[in-house]
Amino acid sequence: MATQQAQSPLVALEEMLLQQFSAHTESIKVARESGNPTLADSMECAQEALRPFDLNDGPERHPVGAIWMIFNYGPEDILALSAHFKQLEEQQFIVPLLEWFLREIRDNQYLIAVDIQKYMKEYEASGNVDTVHEMLRRVLEWWEAWGNNVPCFSPYVDGVQAYRRSCTIHLNSSLPPAFRGAFRALLASTFPSESAPMDVERSKGIFATLNALGLLTDHEHLVGSTLRDFITQHLMETCKGEWETMCWPVLKDWYAAIVAPWIEVVYVRSWMKREWTKAIFDPLNAKYLWHMCEALAKLRISEIFDIIVDYPASSPAIADLKECLFQTGTRKELVQSLRTANKKRLLHPGADTKDIINLYVSTIRCLRVLDPMGSLLFSVADPIRQYLRERPDTIRTIVQNLIDPKSEFTSGEDGEVKPLQDTTYLADDYGDFGWMPEPAYADAAFRTTRATDIISTLVSIYDSRDIFVKELQVLLAKRLLEIKNKDYDPEIRNLEILKLRFGDAPLQVCDVMMKDITDSRRADQHIKNARKVELEKAKDSLPYLAPAAGNEEEELPLHATIISRLFWPSMPSTSLIMPGKFRKYQEEYARRFSEFKPDRKIRFIPNLGTVSLELELQDRTLNVEATPLQAAIVDLFSSKDTWVADELAVQLGNLDIPSVDKALEFWMDQGVVSSLGNKQYKLLEVAEDKRTVVMRPARRSSLNETPAATKMEEQQAEQMRVYWQAKISTPQFIQGMLTNFPSLPTDRIHTMLKFAPNYDRTREQLARFLEALKRSERSSKLPLSTASGVANVLIFYSSVIDGQLWCPDCRFVESIIKTTFENSADRQGIIVYVGDQATWRNPNNTYRKGWKISSVPTLIRLNAEGKEESRLVDSEITLKRLTAFLN
């Protein structure tokens, strides 16, 4: 140390130490010369050699080592110190000396704590993780300086272990709460990435310091949680919403290239043998690979509802989940998540029955891939099946798709039409070498070890097939009555397919219906031919008796479909009496049919069928296809220009007023009739406003509405609508109730409406009315335009298919979004339709790539520059969160 005499502070320190330890130095020399130090000298020398000192004294740090080395003592001084420790051991004072030393370490621990506080304040101010590393290296310097002479205890007691244990305890008590976050940040700074490889030398220095201080062992849980968070973050960034490709193989490659080398740097040392390295690395590698697999399983489980909606486009995501389920055993979480999602997003009155069944079919296919034994499907499907049993239109929807060649129910099947199977008992295939025992808790209907198809599973929702056969009869009747071009070949083909599934015997009634159609065509043609022959004979024999041109049609302008009353579904009856020529045509047709088949009579159902009309008005000619009731009303206007609705109802056979009002609305939409008020209507020979006639949207004719065999419910709902508007005198009360309590059950609404004046309808009538009201409101548009003309919210919906949004989630939140926007004066938005299902599932969809939309519905709030501020996605769109989002 003589070379540092030019630095006066250090020289002053040396002089102070010389004065302090002069007696100690002299004692060492005397002991060395005499070879027989006293016990007091030995204790004093040992205490002075072990006493902790302040590294911060002086302008420079002391060199690491014993304090007497400052004075250039040689090896003989160390030998003399060892002699002191030996004499203390002989006198049994070595243990008290060690206890004294540990107390000194404890009393001087505040010196290290002061340095720790200084570095932590600097880190909190700058956020630089290198400051944390500097702090830890500084602590290591303290430990090495104070413990340099501790090995002198080694021949007698384990002083090194006691010293390090004491230092570790005091260090952990001196670390502030903020050190936890700083420690994690320091670890995170060593993680590599695909763009920035790991700095091996820096990382090795950091982990060498942490290992020397014992922090890797004491804070192993922080090391593990930090690495797990790193893996999970990468997984979420790369795999969330990515269902078109398998992610698990890509993740394993990333783990081998990024995570495995980091684990090796942290835990493996160069001096370790290969066997030791393998024993440390392999368990850690398996542990974190399992965590990555579990994280991917949890991600796919959280997305399982949307994955099933997009199936089969999302088949790679199902493959990922299958692999992860096999390794992690998260089957229970999958069942709970899917049941919860189904209850929240699917099994509610806002979801269409067809959507529920489509999703049920996709669920069957997905879960059969995940679990061929069927236990998962049984656990998930049971609530869906119970809910479908309670829906009145479930059977109708299934049957409609049974005969639809483009049905999604049969897509994905092998194309072979198979008979329906009894899912309650299915025989084992003894030739199947892949046979496995069936789980006791899986119902037979869900086990794919047996040869069952989707249709059989759907039909098994109900205990009997008879109800499907009855619905098939109703649906076939509807389709046969709607055919106008006399092309019945598709229906014959559908009937043959149904016979393959249900058998010939249950569908004998359908065969009779097809025979009626064939016989009806023959009878209709015979009546037409007989009419022609009769007119030709009259012209030839008595030309002067032939009808004058234009006085009478040569043919009956009536084509009838004649059906058997006992074999066809019951048709809705009505008291409608067709007026004028219409009635005359019906009577003439009935007479000629009786002549053709004397043992049979026909009775017309006047409210069914279509009438092609050509209306010649003063300023225009209209070609219209109308219902018989609409044609009868316009025929009455040909005899009288002005009518009252009640008079029309009486003239047509005392019809109910709502049906007459609905028919009059049709002609008002066509611009043929106008309302004068007080239920009076006038024929418009000259259009009042031609633009209105052209631009006014035509009301959809009842020809395209619910089939005749099943439209009684719609008629009753329409009557309820008219009754609602006419008799209930407090519409503000009802509107306020439905607005403020949109999720009230029907029973509750019915109870509250009893307080309204003149309300005397039943609960069933109210339910039908609310269902009709819901369907009519689905096509309503969201009022999004404001005075500023600039939208600051984008609303991404699925496109409208068949009059409604094809996505059930979009339909579920549509009313919430509409209500919230109507109450927000500061926000305006634009609805963006992402396309049909095929367009949306395309990974190159414009909105998927341009706006990063992974799910619909999605709301994006824009700032003044048109850039995204925040977004709400799918299940996040609740009334409370949407209100906060807009405000």
Side-chain angles (χ1 to χ4, degrees), residues 610-626:
T610 62
V611 181
S612 298
L613 298 174
E614 181 177 334
L615 303 181
E616 294 183 358
L617 303 172
Q618 291 184 8
D619 61 341
R620 64 199 185 280
T621 300
L622 298 177
N623 292 312
V624 181
E625 239 184 34

Side-chain angles (χ1 to χ4, degrees), residues 70-299:
I70 296 177
F71 309 107
N72 293 322
Y73 293 139
E76 64 274 9
D77 301 311
I78 299 177
L79 294 175
L81 183 60
S82 299
H84 288 301
F85 273 85
K86 183 177 181 180
Q87 182 173 351
L88 291 173
E89 168 60 21
E90 292 173 352
Q91 299 297 325
Q92 296 183 355
F93 277 94
I94 196 69
V95 174
L97 178 63
L98 179 59
E99 293 176 353
W100 170 86
F101 173 65
L102 296 179
R103 285 196 301 270
E104 287 293 313
I105 292 295
R106 180 193 63 193
D107 295 341
N108 289 275
Q109 187 64 30
Y110 72 92
L111 298 173
I112 299 179
V114 171
D115 271 1
I116 291 176
Q117 292 178 2
K118 180 184 71 173
Y119 279 102
M120 286 302 299
K121 288 182 179 179
E122 182 179 346
Y123 166 73
E124 292 174 357
S126 63
N128 187 2
V129 294
D130 290 333
T131 305
V132 181
H133 188 205
E134 287 291 333
M135 177 190 73
L136 297 177
R137 286 193 296 184
R138 178 62 170 166
V139 172
L140 187 59
E141 289 181 9
W142 284 97
W143 285 17
E144 291 177 347
W146 288 356
N148 195 72
N149 293 319
V150 174
C152 293
F153 288 101
S154 296
Y156 317 110
V157 293
D158 192 0
V160 175
Q161 184 66 24
Y163 170 69
R164 292 190 61 84
R165 184 167 57 251
S166 177
C167 288
T168 300
I169 293 174
H170 297 313
L171 174 62
N172 289 331
S173 65
S174 301
L175 292 174
F179 176 74
R180 180 186 179 92
F183 183 77
R184 290 172 60 92
L186 180 63
L187 293 176
S189 68
T190 63
F191 288 136
S193 64
E194 297 178 355
S195 59
M198 179 174 58
D199 188 345
V200 178
E201 295 302 324
R202 176 178 177 274
S203 299
K204 286 184 176 180
I206 291 175
F207 292 118
T209 303
L210 295 174
N211 188 56
L213 294 175
L215 292 177
L216 283 180
T217 303
D218 294 342
H219 295 77
E220 184 178 3
H221 64 288
L222 289 180
V223 178
S225 64
T226 304
L227 180 55
R228 288 193 296 269
D229 291 347
F230 172 67
I231 294 173
T232 303
Q233 181 182 0
H234 173 78
L235 184 144
M236 296 295 291
E237 291 175 352
T238 57
C239 300
K240 186 176 183 180
E242 181 58 45
W243 307 330
E244 306 294 335
T245 57
M246 282 193 66
C247 294
W248 179 239
V250 179
L251 286 174
K252 289 195 293 186
D253 294 340
W254 171 84
Y255 181 93
I258 301 297
V259 180
W262 186 87
I263 295 177
E264 187 174 354
V265 171
V266 175
Y267 293 101
V268 178
R269 301 292 176 261
S270 59
W271 50 265
M272 292 181 178
K273 296 182 180 180
R274 184 170 184 177
E275 294 79 9
W276 298 356
T277 302
K278 184 176 180 62
I280 294 175
F281 181 76
D282 288 352
L284 288 172
N285 191 44
K287 172 183 176 181
Y288 290 110
L289 269 174
W290 185 90
H291 165 75
M292 186 169 68
C293 185
E294 183 187 38
L296 181 59
K298 290 181 178 179
L299 174 62

Side-chain angles (χ1 to χ4, degrees), residues 319-337:
D320 279 335
L321 184 56
K322 181 179 181 180
E323 180 73 22
C324 296
L325 285 178
F326 177 77
Q327 298 187 29
T328 61
T330 51
R331 297 162 62 93
K332 182 178 180 181
E333 291 78 2
L334 172 63
V335 171
Q336 291 177 346
S337 176

